[in-house]
Coordinates of all heavy atoms in Angstrom, one line a residue:
V142 N -93.8 -25.6 -32.0 CA -93.7 -26.8 -31.1 C -94.2 -26.4 -29.7 O -95.0 -27.1 -29.1 CB -92.3 -27.2 -31.0 CG1 -92.1 -28.3 -29.9 CG2 -91.8 -27.8 -32.3
I143 N -93.8 -25.2 -29.2 CA -94.2 -24.8 -27.9 C -95.7 -24.5 -27.9 O -96.4 -24.9 -26.9 CB -93.4 -23.5 -27.5 CG1 -92.0 -23.9 -27.3 CG2 -94.0 -22.9 -26.2 CD1 -91.1 -22.7 -27.1
E144 N -96.3 -23.9 -28.9 CA -97.7 -23.7 -29.0 C -98.5 -25.0 -28.9 O -99.5 -25.1 -28.2 CB -98.1 -22.9 -30.2 CG -97.6 -21.5 -30.1 CD -97.9 -20.7 -31.4 OE1 -98.5 -21.2 -32.3 OE2 -97.6 -19.5 -31.4
Y145 N -98.0 -26.0 -29.6 CA -98.7 -27.3 -29.6 C -98.6 -27.9 -28.2 O -99.5 -28.5 -27.6 CB -98.1 -28.3 -30.6 CG -98.8 -28.2 -31.9 CD1 -98.2 -27.6 -33.0 CD2 -100.1 -28.7 -32.1 CE1 -98.9 -27.5 -34.3 CE2 -100.8 -28.7 -33.3 CZ -100.1 -28.1 -34.4 OH -100.8 -28.0 -35.6
A146 N -97.4 -27.8 -27.6 CA -97.2 -28.4 -26.3 C -98.0 -27.8 -25.2 O -98.4 -28.5 -24.3 CB -95.7 -28.3 -25.9
E147 N -98.3 -26.5 -25.4 CA -99.2 -25.8 -24.4 C -100.7 -25.9 -24.8 O -101.5 -25.3 -24.2 CB -98.7 -24.4 -24.3 CG -97.4 -24.3 -23.7 CD -96.9 -22.8 -23.7 OE1 -97.5 -22.0 -24.4 OE2 -95.9 -22.6 -23.0
G148 N -101.0 -26.6 -25.9 CA -102.4 -26.7 -26.3 C -102.9 -25.5 -27.0 O -104.1 -25.3 -27.1
R149 N -102.0 -24.7 -27.6 CA -102.5 -23.5 -28.3 C -102.2 -23.7 -29.8 O -101.9 -22.7 -30.5 CB -101.7 -22.3 -27.8 CG -102.0 -22.0 -26.4 CD -101.3 -20.7 -25.9 NE -99.8 -21.0 -25.9 CZ -98.9 -20.1 -26.3 NH1 -99.2 -19.0 -26.8 NH2 -97.6 -20.4 -26.3
G150 N -102.3 -24.9 -30.3 CA -102.1 -25.1 -31.7 C -103.2 -24.4 -32.6 O -104.0 -23.7 -32.1
P151 N -103.1 -24.6 -33.9 CA -104.0 -23.9 -34.8 C -105.5 -24.1 -34.4 O -106.3 -23.1 -34.5 CB -103.8 -24.6 -36.1 CG -102.4 -25.2 -36.0 CD -102.2 -25.5 -34.6
R152 N -105.9 -25.2 -33.9 CA -107.3 -25.4 -33.5 C -107.6 -25.2 -32.1 O -108.7 -25.4 -31.6 CB -107.8 -26.8 -34.0 CG -107.8 -26.9 -35.5 CD -108.3 -28.3 -35.9 NE -107.4 -29.4 -35.3 CZ -106.4 -29.9 -35.9 NH1 -106.1 -29.6 -37.1 NH2 -105.7 -30.9 -35.3
G153 N -106.5 -24.9 -31.3 CA -106.6 -24.7 -29.9 C -106.7 -26.0 -29.2 O -107.1 -26.1 -28.0
V154 N -106.5 -27.1 -29.9 CA -106.6 -28.5 -29.3 C -105.2 -29.1 -29.3 O -104.4 -28.9 -30.3 CB -107.5 -29.3 -30.2 CG1 -107.5 -30.8 -29.7 CG2 -108.9 -28.7 -30.3
C155 N -104.9 -29.7 -28.2 CA -103.6 -30.4 -28.1 C -103.6 -31.7 -28.9 O -104.4 -32.6 -28.6 CB -103.3 -30.7 -26.6 SG -101.7 -31.5 -26.4
D156 N -102.8 -31.8 -29.9 CA -102.7 -33.0 -30.8 C -101.6 -33.8 -30.2 O -100.4 -33.5 -30.5 CB -102.5 -32.6 -32.2 CG -102.5 -33.7 -33.2 OD1 -102.5 -34.9 -32.7 OD2 -102.6 -33.5 -34.4
C157 N -101.9 -34.9 -29.5 CA -100.9 -35.7 -28.9 C -99.8 -36.3 -29.8 O -98.7 -36.4 -29.5 CB -101.5 -36.8 -28.1 SG -102.3 -36.2 -26.6
E158 N -100.3 -36.6 -31.0 CA -99.3 -37.1 -32.0 C -98.3 -36.1 -32.5 O -97.1 -36.4 -32.6 CB -100.1 -37.6 -33.3 CG -99.3 -38.4 -34.2 CD -100.1 -39.0 -35.4 OE1 -101.3 -39.4 -35.1 OE2 -99.6 -39.0 -36.5
V159 N -98.7 -34.9 -32.6 CA -97.8 -33.8 -33.0 C -96.9 -33.5 -31.9 O -95.7 -33.3 -32.0 CB -98.6 -32.5 -33.4 CG1 -97.6 -31.3 -33.6 CG2 -99.4 -32.8 -34.7
V160 N -97.4 -33.4 -30.6 CA -96.6 -33.2 -29.5 C -95.5 -34.3 -29.3 O -94.4 -34.0 -29.0 CB -97.4 -33.0 -28.2 CG1 -96.6 -32.9 -27.0 CG2 -98.3 -31.8 -28.3
S161 N -95.9 -35.5 -29.5 CA -95.0 -36.7 -29.4 C -93.9 -36.6 -30.4 O -92.7 -36.8 -30.1 CB -95.8 -38.0 -29.6 OG -96.6 -38.2 -28.5
E162 N -94.2 -36.2 -31.6 CA -93.2 -36.1 -32.7 C -92.2 -34.9 -32.3 O -91.0 -35.0 -32.5 CB -93.8 -35.9 -34.0 CG -94.5 -37.1 -34.6 CD -93.5 -38.3 -34.8 OE1 -92.4 -38.0 -35.3 OE2 -93.8 -39.4 -34.4
A163 N -92.8 -33.8 -31.8 CA -91.9 -32.7 -31.4 C -91.0 -33.1 -30.3 O -89.8 -32.7 -30.3 CB -92.8 -31.5 -31.0
L164 N -91.5 -33.8 -29.3 CA -90.7 -34.2 -28.2 C -89.6 -35.2 -28.7 O -88.5 -35.2 -28.2 CB -91.5 -34.9 -27.1 CG -92.3 -33.9 -26.3 CD1 -93.4 -34.6 -25.4 CD2 -91.4 -33.1 -25.3
K165 N -90.0 -36.1 -29.6 CA -89.0 -37.0 -30.2 C -87.9 -36.3 -30.9 O -86.7 -36.6 -30.7 CB -89.7 -38.0 -31.2 CG -88.8 -39.1 -31.7 CD -89.4 -39.9 -32.8 CE -90.8 -40.4 -32.6 NZ -91.3 -41.3 -33.7
C166 N -88.2 -35.2 -31.6 CA -87.2 -34.4 -32.3 C -86.3 -33.7 -31.2 O -85.1 -33.7 -31.4 CB -87.8 -33.4 -33.2 SG -88.6 -34.0 -34.6
L167 N -86.9 -33.2 -30.2 CA -86.1 -32.6 -29.1 C -85.2 -33.6 -28.4 O -84.0 -33.3 -28.2 CB -87.0 -32.0 -28.0 CG -87.6 -30.6 -28.4 CD1 -88.7 -30.2 -27.3 CD2 -86.6 -29.6 -28.5
C168 N -85.6 -34.8 -28.2 CA -84.8 -35.8 -27.6 C -83.6 -36.1 -28.5 O -82.5 -36.2 -28.0 CB -85.6 -37.1 -27.4 SG -86.8 -37.1 -26.1
N169 N -83.8 -36.3 -29.8 CA -82.7 -36.6 -30.7 C -81.8 -35.4 -30.8 O -80.6 -35.6 -30.9 CB -83.3 -37.0 -32.1 CG -84.0 -38.3 -32.1 OD1 -83.7 -39.2 -31.3 ND2 -84.9 -38.5 -33.0
T170 N -82.3 -34.2 -30.9 CA -81.4 -33.0 -31.0 C -80.6 -32.9 -29.7 O -79.4 -32.6 -29.8 CB -82.3 -31.8 -31.2 OG1 -83.1 -31.9 -32.4 CG2 -81.4 -30.5 -31.3
V171 N -81.2 -33.0 -28.5 CA -80.4 -32.9 -27.3 C -79.4 -34.0 -27.2 O -78.2 -33.7 -26.8 CB -81.4 -32.9 -26.1 CG1 -80.6 -33.1 -24.8 CG2 -82.2 -31.6 -26.0
Y172 N -79.7 -35.2 -27.6 CA -78.8 -36.3 -27.5 C -77.6 -36.1 -28.4 O -76.4 -36.4 -28.1 CB -79.5 -37.6 -27.9 CG -78.6 -38.8 -27.8 CD1 -78.1 -39.3 -26.6 CD2 -78.1 -39.4 -29.0 CE1 -77.3 -40.4 -26.5 CE2 -77.3 -40.5 -28.9 CZ -76.9 -41.0 -27.7 OH -76.0 -42.1 -27.6
N173 N -77.8 -35.6 -29.6 CA -76.8 -35.5 -30.6 C -76.0 -34.2 -30.7 O -75.0 -34.0 -31.4 CB -77.4 -35.8 -32.0 CG -77.8 -37.2 -32.2 OD1 -77.0 -38.1 -31.9 ND2 -79.0 -37.5 -32.5
S174 N -76.5 -33.2 -30.0 CA -75.9 -31.8 -30.1 C -75.5 -31.2 -28.7 O -76.3 -31.0 -27.9 CB -76.8 -30.9 -30.8 OG -76.4 -29.6 -30.7
E175 N -74.2 -31.0 -28.6 CA -73.7 -30.4 -27.3 C -74.3 -28.9 -27.2 O -74.6 -28.5 -26.1 CB -72.2 -30.3 -27.3 CG -71.6 -31.7 -27.0 CD -70.1 -31.7 -26.9 OE1 -69.6 -30.7 -26.3 OE2 -69.5 -32.6 -27.3
A176 N -74.4 -28.3 -28.4 CA -75.0 -26.9 -28.3 C -76.4 -26.9 -27.9 O -76.8 -26.1 -27.1 CB -74.9 -26.3 -29.7
A177 N -77.2 -27.9 -28.3 CA -78.6 -28.1 -27.8 C -78.6 -28.4 -26.4 O -79.5 -27.9 -25.6 CB -79.3 -29.1 -28.6
Q178 N -77.7 -29.2 -25.9 CA -77.6 -29.5 -24.4 C -77.4 -28.2 -23.6 O -78.1 -28.0 -22.6 CB -76.5 -30.5 -24.2 CG -76.8 -31.8 -24.8 CD -75.6 -32.7 -24.8 OE1 -74.6 -32.5 -24.1 NE2 -75.6 -33.8 -25.6
V179 N -76.5 -27.4 -24.1 CA -76.2 -26.1 -23.4 C -77.4 -25.2 -23.4 O -77.8 -24.6 -22.4 CB -74.9 -25.4 -24.0 CG1 -74.8 -24.0 -23.5 CG2 -73.7 -26.3 -23.8
M180 N -78.0 -25.1 -24.6 CA -79.2 -24.3 -24.7 C -80.3 -24.8 -23.8 O -81.0 -24.0 -23.1 CB -79.7 -24.2 -26.1 CG -78.9 -23.3 -27.0 SD -79.6 -23.2 -28.7 CE -80.9 -22.0 -28.4
A181 N -80.5 -26.1 -23.7 CA -81.6 -26.7 -22.9 C -81.3 -26.3 -21.4 O -82.3 -26.0 -20.7 CB -81.7 -28.2 -23.1
G182 N -80.1 -26.3 -21.0 CA -79.7 -26.0 -19.6 C -79.9 -24.5 -19.4 O -80.5 -24.1 -18.4
E183 N -79.5 -23.7 -20.3 CA -79.7 -22.2 -20.2 C -81.2 -21.8 -20.2 O -81.6 -20.9 -19.5 CB -78.9 -21.5 -21.3 CG -77.4 -21.6 -21.1 CD -76.7 -21.0 -22.3 OE1 -77.3 -20.5 -23.3 OE2 -75.4 -20.9 -22.2
M184 N -81.9 -22.5 -21.0 CA -83.4 -22.1 -21.1 C -84.2 -22.7 -20.0 O -85.4 -22.5 -19.9 CB -83.9 -22.6 -22.5 CG -83.4 -21.9 -23.7 SD -84.0 -22.7 -25.2 CE -85.7 -22.7 -25.0
R185 N -83.5 -23.5 -19.2 CA -84.2 -24.2 -18.0 C -85.4 -25.0 -18.5 O -86.5 -25.0 -18.0 CB -84.6 -23.1 -17.0 CG -83.5 -22.3 -16.5 CD -83.9 -21.2 -15.6 NE -84.5 -21.8 -14.4 CZ -84.5 -21.2 -13.3 NH1 -84.0 -20.0 -13.1 NH2 -85.1 -21.7 -12.2
L186 N -85.1 -25.8 -19.5 CA -86.1 -26.7 -20.1 C -86.6 -27.7 -19.1 O -87.8 -28.1 -19.2 CB -85.5 -27.4 -21.3 CG -86.4 -28.3 -22.2 CD1 -87.5 -27.5 -22.8 CD2 -85.6 -29.0 -23.3
I187 N -85.8 -28.1 -18.2 CA -86.3 -29.0 -17.1 C -87.4 -28.5 -16.4 O -88.3 -29.3 -16.0 CB -85.1 -29.4 -16.2 CG1 -85.4 -30.7 -15.4 CG2 -84.7 -28.3 -15.3 CD1 -85.4 -31.9 -16.2
H188 N -87.5 -27.2 -16.2 CA -88.6 -26.6 -15.4 C -89.9 -26.8 -16.2 O -91.0 -27.1 -15.6 CB -88.4 -25.1 -15.2 CG -87.4 -24.8 -14.1 ND1 -87.7 -24.7 -12.8 CD2 -86.0 -24.7 -14.2 CE1 -86.6 -24.5 -12.1 NE2 -85.6 -24.5 -13.0
G189 N -89.9 -26.6 -17.5 CA -91.1 -26.8 -18.3 C -91.5 -28.3 -18.3 O -92.7 -28.6 -18.3
L190 N -90.6 -29.2 -18.4 CA -90.9 -30.6 -18.3 C -91.5 -31.0 -17.0 O -92.5 -31.8 -17.0 CB -89.6 -31.5 -18.6 CG -89.1 -31.6 -20.0 CD1 -87.8 -32.2 -20.0 CD2 -90.1 -32.4 -20.8
V191 N -91.0 -30.5 -15.9 CA -91.5 -30.7 -14.6 C -93.0 -30.3 -14.5 O -93.8 -31.0 -14.0 CB -90.6 -30.1 -13.5 CG1 -91.4 -30.1 -12.2 CG2 -89.3 -30.9 -13.4
E192 N -93.2 -29.1 -15.0 CA -94.6 -28.5 -15.0 C -95.5 -29.4 -15.8 O -96.7 -29.7 -15.4 CB -94.6 -27.1 -15.5 CG -94.0 -26.1 -14.5 CD -94.6 -26.2 -13.1 OE1 -95.9 -26.2 -13.0 OE2 -93.9 -26.3 -12.1
R193 N -95.1 -29.8 -17.0 CA -95.9 -30.7 -17.9 C -96.2 -32.0 -17.2 O -97.3 -32.5 -17.2 CB -95.2 -31.0 -19.2 CG -95.3 -29.8 -20.2 CD -94.8 -30.2 -21.5 NE -95.4 -31.4 -22.1 CZ -96.5 -31.4 -22.8 NH1 -97.2 -30.3 -23.0 NH2 -97.0 -32.5 -23.3
L194 N -95.2 -32.6 -16.5 CA -95.4 -33.9 -15.8 C -96.4 -33.7 -14.6 O -97.2 -34.5 -14.3 CB -94.1 -34.5 -15.4 CG -93.3 -35.1 -16.5 CD1 -91.9 -35.4 -16.0 CD2 -94.0 -36.3 -17.1
K195 N -96.2 -32.6 -13.9 CA -97.2 -32.3 -12.8 C -98.6 -32.2 -13.3 O -99.5 -32.7 -12.7 CB -96.8 -31.0 -12.1 CG -95.6 -31.1 -11.2 CD -95.3 -29.8 -10.5 CE -94.0 -29.9 -9.6 NZ -93.7 -28.6 -9.0
V196 N -98.8 -31.4 -14.3 CA -100.1 -31.3 -14.9 C -100.7 -32.6 -15.4 O -101.8 -33.0 -15.0 CB -100.1 -30.2 -16.1 CG1 -101.5 -30.3 -16.8 CG2 -99.8 -28.9 -15.5
N197 N -99.9 -33.4 -16.1 CA -100.4 -34.6 -16.6 C -100.6 -35.7 -15.5 O -101.5 -36.5 -15.6 CB -99.4 -35.2 -17.6 CG -99.4 -34.4 -18.9 OD1 -100.4 -33.7 -19.2 ND2 -98.3 -34.4 -19.7
T198 N -99.8 -35.6 -14.4 CA -100.0 -36.5 -13.3 C -101.3 -36.1 -12.5 O -101.9 -37.0 -12.0 CB -98.8 -36.4 -12.3 OG1 -97.6 -36.7 -13.0 CG2 -98.9 -37.3 -11.1
G199 N -101.7 -34.9 -12.6 CA -102.8 -34.4 -11.9 C -104.1 -34.9 -12.5 O -105.2 -34.5 -12.1
G200 N -104.1 -35.7 -13.6 CA -105.3 -36.2 -14.1 C -105.6 -35.9 -15.6 O -106.5 -36.4 -16.2
M201 N -104.9 -34.9 -16.2 CA -105.1 -34.6 -17.6 C -104.7 -35.7 -18.4 O -103.6 -36.3 -18.2 CB -104.4 -33.3 -17.9 CG -105.0 -32.0 -17.5 SD -104.2 -30.6 -18.1 CE -104.5 -30.7 -19.9
A202 N -105.4 -36.0 -19.4 CA -105.1 -37.1 -20.3 C -104.0 -36.7 -21.2 O -103.9 -35.5 -21.7 CB -106.3 -37.5 -21.2
S203 N -103.0 -37.5 -21.4 CA -101.9 -37.3 -22.3 C -101.6 -38.7 -22.9 O -101.7 -39.7 -22.3 CB -100.8 -36.7 -21.5 OG -99.6 -37.2 -21.9
G204 N -101.2 -38.7 -24.2 CA -100.9 -39.9 -24.8 C -99.7 -40.6 -24.2 O -98.9 -40.0 -23.6
R205 N -99.7 -41.9 -24.3 CA -98.6 -42.7 -23.8 C -97.3 -42.3 -24.4 O -96.3 -42.2 -23.7 CB -98.8 -44.2 -24.0 CG -99.8 -44.8 -23.0 CD -99.7 -46.3 -23.2 NE -100.1 -46.8 -21.9 CZ -100.3 -48.1 -21.6 NH1 -100.2 -48.9 -22.6 NH2 -100.6 -48.5 -20.4
D206 N -97.3 -42.1 -25.7 CA -96.1 -41.7 -26.4 C -95.6 -40.3 -25.9 O -94.4 -40.1 -25.7 CB -96.3 -41.6 -27.9 CG -96.5 -42.9 -28.5 OD1 -96.1 -44.0 -27.9 OD2 -96.9 -43.0 -29.7
T207 N -96.5 -39.4 -25.7 CA -96.2 -38.1 -25.2 C -95.5 -38.2 -23.8 O -94.4 -37.6 -23.6 CB -97.4 -37.2 -25.0 OG1 -98.0 -37.1 -26.3 CG2 -97.0 -35.8 -24.5
R208 N -96.1 -39.0 -22.9 CA -95.5 -39.2 -21.6 C -94.1 -39.8 -21.7 O -93.2 -39.4 -21.0 CB -96.4 -40.0 -20.7 CG -95.9 -40.4 -19.4 CD -95.9 -39.3 -18.4 NE -97.1 -38.5 -18.2 CZ -98.0 -38.8 -17.3 NH1 -97.9 -39.8 -16.5 NH2 -99.1 -38.1 -17.3
F209 N -94.0 -40.8 -22.6 CA -92.7 -41.5 -22.8 C -91.6 -40.5 -23.2 O -90.5 -40.5 -22.6 CB -92.9 -42.6 -23.8 CG -91.6 -43.2 -24.2 CD1 -90.9 -44.1 -23.4 CD2 -91.0 -42.8 -25.4 CE1 -89.7 -44.7 -23.8 CE2 -89.8 -43.4 -25.8 CZ -89.1 -44.3 -25.0
Y210 N -91.9 -39.7 -24.2 CA -90.9 -38.7 -24.6 C -90.6 -37.6 -23.7 O -89.5 -37.1 -23.6 CB -91.3 -38.2 -26.0 CG -91.1 -39.3 -27.1 CD1 -92.2 -39.8 -27.8 CD2 -89.8 -39.8 -27.4 CE1 -92.0 -40.8 -28.7 CE2 -89.7 -40.8 -28.3 CZ -90.7 -41.3 -29.0 OH -90.6 -42.3 -29.9
E211 N -91.6 -37.2 -22.9 CA -91.3 -36.3 -21.8 C -90.3 -36.9 -20.8 O -89.4 -36.2 -20.4 CB -92.6 -35.9 -21.1 CG -93.6 -35.0 -21.9 CD -94.9 -34.9 -21.2 OE1 -95.3 -35.6 -20.3 OE2 -95.7 -34.0 -21.7
L212 N -90.6 -38.1 -20.4 CA -89.7 -38.8 -19.5 C -88.3 -39.0 -20.1 O -87.3 -38.9 -19.4 CB -90.3 -40.1 -19.0 CG -91.5 -39.9 -18.0 CD1 -92.2 -41.2 -17.8 CD2 -91.0 -39.3 -16.7
R213 N -88.3 -39.4 -21.4 CA -87.0 -39.6 -22.1 C -86.2 -38.4 -22.1 O -85.0 -38.4 -21.9 CB -87.3 -40.2 -23.5 CG -86.1 -40.5 -24.2 CD -86.4 -41.1 -25.6 NE -85.2 -41.4 -26.3 CZ -85.1 -41.6 -27.6 NH1 -86.2 -41.6 -28.3 NH2 -84.0 -41.9 -28.1
L214 N -86.8 -37.2 -22.5 CA -86.1 -36.0 -22.5 C -85.6 -35.6 -21.1 O -84.5 -35.1 -21.0 CB -87.0 -34.9 -23.1 CG -86.4 -33.5 -23.3 CD1 -85.2 -33.6 -24.2 CD2 -87.4 -32.5 -23.9
M215 N -86.4 -35.8 -20.1 CA -85.9 -35.5 -18.7 C -84.7 -36.4 -18.4 O -83.7 -35.9 -17.9 CB -87.0 -35.8 -17.7 CG -86.6 -35.5 -16.3 SD -88.0 -35.6 -15.1 CE -88.9 -34.2 -15.5
F216 N -84.8 -37.7 -18.8 CA -83.6 -38.6 -18.6 C -82.4 -38.1 -19.3 O -81.3 -38.0 -18.7 CB -84.0 -40.0 -19.0 CG -82.8 -40.9 -19.1 CD1 -82.2 -41.4 -17.9 CD2 -82.1 -41.2 -20.3 CE1 -81.1 -42.2 -18.0 CE2 -81.0 -41.9 -20.4 CZ -80.5 -42.5 -19.2
L217 N -82.5 -37.7 -20.6 CA -81.4 -37.2 -21.3 C -80.8 -36.0 -20.7 O -79.6 -35.9 -20.6 CB -81.8 -36.9 -22.8 CG -82.1 -38.1 -23.6 CD1 -82.7 -37.7 -25.0 CD2 -80.8 -38.9 -23.9
L218 N -81.6 -35.0 -20.3 CA -81.1 -33.8 -19.7 C -80.4 -34.1 -18.4 O -79.3 -33.5 -18.2 CB -82.3 -32.8 -19.5 CG -82.9 -32.2 -20.7 CD1 -84.2 -31.4 -20.3 CD2 -81.9 -31.4 -21.5
T219 N -80.9 -34.9 -17.6 CA -80.3 -35.2 -16.3 C -79.0 -36.1 -16.5 O -78.1 -36.0 -15.7 CB -81.2 -35.9 -15.3 OG1 -81.8 -37.1 -15.9 CG2 -82.3 -34.9 -14.9
A220 N -79.0 -37.0 -17.5 CA -77.8 -37.8 -17.8 C -76.7 -37.0 -18.4 O -75.5 -37.2 -18.1 CB -78.2 -38.9 -18.7
L221 N -77.0 -36.0 -19.2 CA -76.0 -35.3 -19.9 C -75.5 -34.0 -19.2 O -74.4 -33.5 -19.5 CB -76.5 -34.9 -21.3 CG -76.8 -36.1 -22.2 CD1 -77.5 -35.7 -23.5 CD2 -75.5 -36.9 -22.6
L222 N -76.4 -33.4 -18.3 CA -76.1 -32.2 -17.7 C -76.1 -32.3 -16.2 O -77.2 -32.4 -15.6 CB -77.1 -31.1 -18.2 CG -77.1 -30.8 -19.7 CD1 -78.3 -30.0 -20.0 CD2 -75.8 -30.2 -20.1
V223 N -74.9 -32.2 -15.6 CA -74.8 -32.4 -14.1 C -75.6 -31.3 -13.4 O -76.3 -31.6 -12.4 CB -73.4 -32.4 -13.7 CG1 -73.2 -32.4 -12.2 CG2 -72.6 -33.5 -14.3
D224 N -75.6 -30.1 -13.9 CA -76.3 -29.0 -13.2 C -77.8 -29.2 -13.2 O -78.5 -29.0 -12.2 CB -76.0 -27.6 -13.9 CG -74.6 -27.2 -13.6 OD1 -73.9 -27.7 -12.7 OD2 -74.1 -26.3 -14.4
V225 N -78.3 -29.7 -14.3 CA -79.7 -30.0 -14.4 C -80.1 -31.2 -13.5 O -81.1 -31.1 -12.8 CB -80.1 -30.4 -15.9 CG1 -81.6 -30.9 -15.9 CG2 -80.0 -29.2 -16.8
R226 N -79.2 -32.1 -13.4 CA -79.5 -33.3 -12.5 C -79.6 -32.8 -11.0 O -80.5 -33.1 -10.3 CB -78.3 -34.3 -12.6 CG -78.5 -35.5 -11.8 CD -77.3 -36.5 -12.0 NE -76.8 -36.5 -13.3 CZ -75.5 -36.6 -13.7 NH1 -74.6 -36.7 -12.7 NH2 -75.1 -36.6 -14.9
R227 N -78.7 -31.9 -10.6 CA -78.7 -31.4 -9.3 C -80.0 -30.5 -9.0 O -80.6 -30.6 -8.0 CB -77.5 -30.5 -9.0 CG -76.2 -31.3 -8.8 CD -75.1 -30.4 -8.4 NE -73.8 -31.1 -8.6 CZ -72.8 -30.7 -9.2 NH1 -72.8 -29.5 -9.8 NH2 -71.7 -31.4 -9.3
Q228 N -80.3 -29.7 -10.0 CA -81.5 -28.9 -9.9 C -82.7 -29.7 -9.8 O -83.6 -29.4 -9.0 CB -81.5 -28.0 -11.2 CG -82.5 -26.9 -11.2 CD -82.4 -26.0 -12.4 OE1 -82.1 -26.5 -13.5 NE2 -82.6 -24.7 -12.3
L229 N -82.9 -30.7 -10.6 CA -84.1 -31.6 -10.5 C -84.1 -32.3 -9.1 O -85.2 -32.3 -8.5 CB -84.1 -32.6 -11.6 CG -85.2 -33.6 -11.6 CD1 -86.5 -32.8 -11.9 CD2 -85.0 -34.7 -12.6
A230 N -83.0 -32.7 -8.6 CA -83.0 -33.4 -7.3 C -83.3 -32.5 -6.2 O -84.1 -32.8 -5.3 CB -81.7 -34.1 -7.1
R231 N -82.7 -31.4 -6.2 CA -82.8 -30.5 -5.0 C -84.0 -29.5 -5.1 O -84.8 -29.5 -4.1 CB -81.5 -29.6 -4.9 CG -80.3 -30.4 -4.5 CD -79.1 -29.5 -4.3 NE -77.9 -30.2 -4.2 CZ -76.7 -29.8 -4.4 NH1 -76.5 -28.5 -4.8 NH2 -75.7 -30.5 -4.3
D232 N -84.1 -28.8 -6.1 CA -85.1 -27.7 -6.2 C -86.4 -28.2 -6.7 O -87.5 -27.6 -6.3 CB -84.6 -26.6 -7.1 CG -83.2 -26.0 -6.7 OD1 -82.9 -26.1 -5.5 OD2 -82.5 -25.5 -7.6
L233 N -86.5 -29.1 -7.6 CA -87.7 -29.5 -8.2 C -88.3 -30.8 -7.7 O -89.3 -31.3 -8.2 CB -87.5 -29.6 -9.7 CG -87.0 -28.3 -10.4 CD1 -86.6 -28.6 -11.8 CD2 -88.0 -27.2 -10.3
H234 N -87.7 -31.4 -6.6 CA -88.3 -32.6 -6.0 C -88.5 -33.7 -7.0 O -89.6 -34.3 -7.1 CB -89.6 -32.3 -5.2 CG -89.5 -31.1 -4.3 ND1 -88.7 -31.1 -3.2 CD2 -89.9 -29.8 -4.5 CE1 -88.8 -29.9 -2.6 NE2 -89.5 -29.1 -3.4
G235 N -87.4 -34.0 -7.7 CA -87.5 -34.9 -8.8 C -87.9 -36.3 -8.5 O -88.6 -37.0 -9.2
V236 N -87.4 -36.8 -7.3 CA -87.8 -38.2 -6.9 C -89.3 -38.3 -6.7 O -89.9 -39.3 -7.2 CB -87.0 -38.6 -5.6 CG1 -87.4 -39.9 -5.1 CG2 -85.5 -38.6 -5.9
T237 N -89.9 -37.4 -6.0 CA -91.3 -37.4 -5.8 C -92.1 -37.3 -7.1 O -93.0 -38.1 -7.3 CB -91.7 -36.2 -4.8 OG1 -91.0 -36.3 -3.6 CG2 -93.2 -36.3 -4.5
L238 N -91.7 -36.4 -7.9 CA -92.3 -36.2 -9.2 C -92.3 -37.5 -10.0 O -93.3 -38.0 -10.6 CB -91.7 -35.1 -10.0 CG -92.2 -34.9 -11.4 CD1 -93.7 -34.4 -11.4 CD2 -91.3 -33.9 -12.2
L239 N -91.1 -38.1 -10.1 CA -91.0 -39.3 -10.9 C -91.7 -40.5 -10.3 O -92.4 -41.3 -11.0 CB -89.5 -39.7 -11.1 CG -88.7 -38.8 -12.0 CD1 -87.2 -39.1 -11.9 CD2 -89.2 -38.8 -13.4
T240 N -91.8 -40.6 -9.0 CA -92.6 -41.6 -8.3 C -94.0 -41.5 -8.7 O -94.7 -42.4 -9.0 CB -92.3 -41.6 -6.8 OG1 -90.9 -41.7 -6.5 CG2 -93.1 -42.7 -6.1
D241 N -94.5 -40.2 -8.5 CA -95.9 -40.0 -8.9 C -96.3 -40.3 -10.3 O -97.3 -40.8 -10.6 CB -96.3 -38.5 -8.5 CG -96.3 -38.2 -7.1 OD1 -96.3 -39.2 -6.2 OD2 -96.3 -37.0 -6.7
T242 N -95.3 -39.9 -11.2 CA -95.6 -40.1 -12.6 C -95.6 -41.6 -13.0 O -96.4 -42.0 -13.8 CB -94.4 -39.4 -13.4 OG1 -94.4 -38.0 -13.1 CG2 -94.6 -39.6 -14.9
L243 N -94.7 -42.3 -12.4 CA -94.6 -43.8 -12.7 C -95.8 -44.6 -12.1 O -96.1 -45.7 -12.6 CB -93.3 -44.3 -12.3 CG -92.1 -43.8 -13.1 CD1 -90.8 -44.3 -12.5 CD2 -92.2 -44.1 -14.6
E244 N -96.4 -44.0 -11.1 CA -97.6 -44.7 -10.5 C -98.8 -44.5 -11.4 O -99.5 -45.1 -11.9 CB -97.9 -44.2 -9.1 CG -96.9 -44.6 -8.1 CD -97.2 -44.1 -6.7 OE1 -98.1 -43.2 -6.6 OE2 -96.5 -44.5 -5.8

């Protein structure tokens, strides 16, 4: 999943459909599993999402579904984990990032 998300899949090409499905699975797992929520917080998954959104906002093409699931996962993490919410707001400039992403 991580290799596809970083564009290092088998052919070295980012397959947006595969990435979207992987993100969809992550969203469902985080939503339904407290253990996954804890792991996501410990692994600092929000930092990776922020970096992906920054890169994609900078002009790289990404499928609509991919962007949707990135934002959905960010929403889930911030809704379910208070520490992640604070981290996004304070350290990662979440408001600016989300404003840029939505424009």
Side-chain angles (χ1 to χ4, degrees):
V142 172
I143 293 170
E144 289 178 359
Y145 270 105
E147 294 175 347
R149 296 181 294 139
R152 294 180 301 265
V154 176
C155 180
D156 185 348
C157 288
E158 190 173 324
V159 173
V160 173
S161 293
E162 288 300 317
L164 285 166
K165 188 187 307 184
C166 290
L167 281 172
C168 288
N169 290 334
T170 302
V171 167
Y172 180 73
N173 290 307
S174 170
E175 287 183 36
Q178 294 167 19
V179 170
M180 285 184 79
E183 290 174 355
M184 292 175 50
R185 301 173 66 152
L186 186 60
I187 195 73
H188 287 269
L190 282 171
V191 166
E192 289 305 312
R193 282 185 57 83
L194 287 170
K195 283 181 183 177
V196 168
N197 289 338
T198 301
M201 281 187 66
S203 140
R205 281 189 151 172
D206 288 343
T207 301
R208 176 69 54 92
F209 171 78
Y210 287 113
E211 289 169 348
L212 290 170
R213 183 177 180 195
L214 184 56
M215 182 176 285
F216 168 78
L217 287 171
L218 291 172
T219 56
L221 298 169
L222 301 166
V223 175
D224 292 341
V225 171
R226 186 179 321 144
R227 287 186 193 130
Q228 192 174 33
L229 180 65
R231 291 183 190 160
D232 304 334
L233 302 173
H234 311 289
V236 174
T237 304
L238 174 68
L239 291 173
T240 302
D241 292 345
T242 301
L243 294 173
E244 287 180 350

